[in-house]
Amino acid sequence: MNLKETIRTIPDYPKPGILFRDVTTLFARAEAFEEAVARMAEPFAGQEIDLVAGIEARGFILGGAIATRLKAGFIPLRKKGKLPHRTLTESYALEYGDDELEMHEDAAPKGARVLLVDDLIATGGTAEAGVKLLKRSGAEIAGVVFLIELPELGGRERLEGQGVAMQSLLSFEGH
């Protein structure tokens, strides 16, 4: 199956010049969704993965499915103010301003092997914040996996600069 063909591209969203890669069309097709999850999980099958951390919001969808497949627990990494217990917080830069990512401070026990998941990597700022949160908790990053990579924006280099092995299933040119 050509998974790229199941992803809708929306030009000029959320602003002019951006080609938004809408993965909801892939999620809506059971066969495509199953194949994407299987292919994203496959490199980590047989490894000891204790937890999968998914970045809000589409990373929850993919991460939860991958966690089930790998027989691992799941950790939500959320935008600031969404988690009810004590949290660790990591700030990161966006194109216009800053944001913060949080996780419960007790979500990833020291030494736990964690796979970080999200739908797309562009500049890598959000993923880098996730990596930093997990490392601060004492977790070991088993890897980071994305459905889509936008290679021109440098996210891979940013994560690899943090000493993290990154994989992506699909690559799209452009922004």
Side-chain angles (χ1 to χ4, degrees):
M1 173 181 295
N2 184 341
L3 292 176
K4 271 187 159 182
E5 292 177 358
T6 70
I7 296 170
R8 175 175 36 212
T9 298
I10 302 170
D12 299 322
Y13 182 83
K15 64 180 194 165
I18 301 292
L19 294 171
F20 185 82
R21 308 304 178 171
D22 180 12
V23 298
T24 63
T25 50
L26 178 145
F27 293 164
R29 292 183 56 187
E31 295 162 357
F33 184 47
E34 170 60 26
E35 183 169 330
V37 168
R39 288 174 52 192
M40 290 174 75
E42 191 276 328
F44 305 97
Q47 292 187 33
E48 182 182 325
I49 304 293
D50 300 307
L51 297 161
V52 173
I55 297 174
E56 188 172 337
R58 290 171 301 273
F60 291 178
I61 297 164
L62 291 164
I66 290 168
T68 298
R69 191 169 195 96
L70 296 176
K71 299 189 181 348
F74 180 78
I75 302 171
L77 302 185
R78 302 218 52 195
K79 301 291 171 89
K80 186 169 180 63
K82 301 287 185 178
L83 292 170
H85 191 56
R86 290 185 306 273
T87 59
L88 299 174
T89 303
E90 190 67 41
S91 297
Y92 61 98
L94 295 169
E95 194 168 347
Y96 297 106
D98 296 318
D99 209 343
E100 293 178 306
L101 198 62
E102 294 184 329
M103 66 180 259
H104 282 138
E105 65 183 13
D106 59 356
K110 184 176 177 146
R113 287 186 43 85
V114 181
L115 174 63
L116 181 62
V117 175
D118 205 0
D119 68 317
L120 184 138
I121 182 164
T123 64
T126 308
E128 181 182 45
V131 166
K132 288 179 178 179
L133 276 175
L134 292 165
K135 285 183 175 181
R136 281 178 46 211
S137 75
E140 178 185 331
I141 308 298
V144 183
V145 64
F146 301 91
L147 177 60
I148 297 171
E149 178 178 4
L150 304 178
E152 294 173 23
L153 298 178
R156 177 180 292 274
E157 292 79 14
R158 187 173 189 167
L159 287 184
E160 289 175 349
Q162 295 288 315
V164 176
M166 189 203 107
Q167 297 188 35
S168 61
L169 194 57
L170 305 171
S171 178
F172 283 89
E173 297 304 317
H175 294 76

